[in-house]
Amino acid sequence: AGPGTISEALSLGLPMILVSHSSDEIVGLTAWAFRLDQGRVVGMGPSASLLVAGQTRVDNFLEGDAVGSGRVSVDGVEIAAMLPAGSAGRVRVACYAHDVLLAHSPPAEISARNVLPVRVVSAVPAGDLVLLEVAPPRLSVLVTPEARAALGLEPGSDVHAILKATALVYLGPA
């Protein structure tokens, strides 16, 4: 018998084919994609590079340990998230890439509960936007090319990811 869940298959490095019309699923679950139009391949490459103008629904799927009321440890970093009362053990949360802000300095006196020091890992053109990957925790962040240029967001840049706890949605136990 094979793996029972997508995350089990991914952890084993098994090749998979995903057919979807959802950009958030494609970018969130794949590294490489083909874009089809009326049965013809019209593009292929890193998944984020195949996004077209207006597609900003890119999900971050995170898995970690509930470590307290509304707190999850993901990749060794504790983040505030909207968890149901009594959540325990491994949990999954998600947020959109366009809900994550980046800043060179940690902002003061803001309502966002998560201001996380991260490093830019990669930057890929994504339609009219740029999809950055930062870590830890590993997050996808959509920015405009103007924001990327103004902040000098290149692989290796140290920045702060800002994310409201209310933007992180509880998906259930892992």
Side-chain angles (χ1 to χ4, degrees):
T5 67
I6 288 176
S7 44
E8 287 174 346
L10 291 173
S11 71
L12 294 174
L14 298 176
M16 298 181 347
I17 295 175
L18 169 71
V19 177
S20 178
H21 295 272
S22 171
S23 60
D24 56 339
E25 284 181 353
I26 293 166
V27 174
L29 296 173
T30 68
W32 188 267
F34 293 86
R35 180 179 280 284
L36 301 175
D37 186 12
Q38 297 182 8
R40 297 183 196 270
V41 175
V42 296
M44 66 178 158
S47 302
S49 70
L50 298 180
L51 294 177
V52 296
Q55 289 184 322
T56 62
R57 287 183 44 104
V58 176
D59 273 336
N60 284 295
F61 296 102
L62 306 171
E63 186 175 310
D65 296 308
V67 291
S69 179
R71 307 291 299 172
V72 180
S73 178
V74 178
D75 297 336
V77 177
E78 197 171 302
I79 59 175
M82 300 303 296
L83 301 179
S87 293
R90 299 288 290 171
V91 297
R92 294 177 301 128
V93 295
C95 68
Y96 290 122
H98 64 257
D99 284 339
V100 182
L101 303 174
L102 297 176
H104 278 292
S105 302
E109 300 181 16
I110 62 171
S111 62
R113 298 295 83 200
N114 297 299
V115 178
L116 312 168
V118 296
R119 176 164 286 161
V120 176
V121 176
S122 66
V124 177
D128 293 338
L129 301 171
V130 178
L131 185 67
L132 302 172
E133 187 173 311
V134 301
R138 192 163 291 276
L139 291 168
S140 294
V141 183
L142 273 173
V143 299
T144 64
E146 296 82 9
R148 178 185 182 186
L151 294 172
L153 298 170
E154 297 299 330
S157 299
D158 290 321
V159 293
H160 289 81
I162 303 159
L163 182 60
K164 293 173 59 171
T166 55
L168 284 156
V169 178
Y170 176 72
L171 298 178

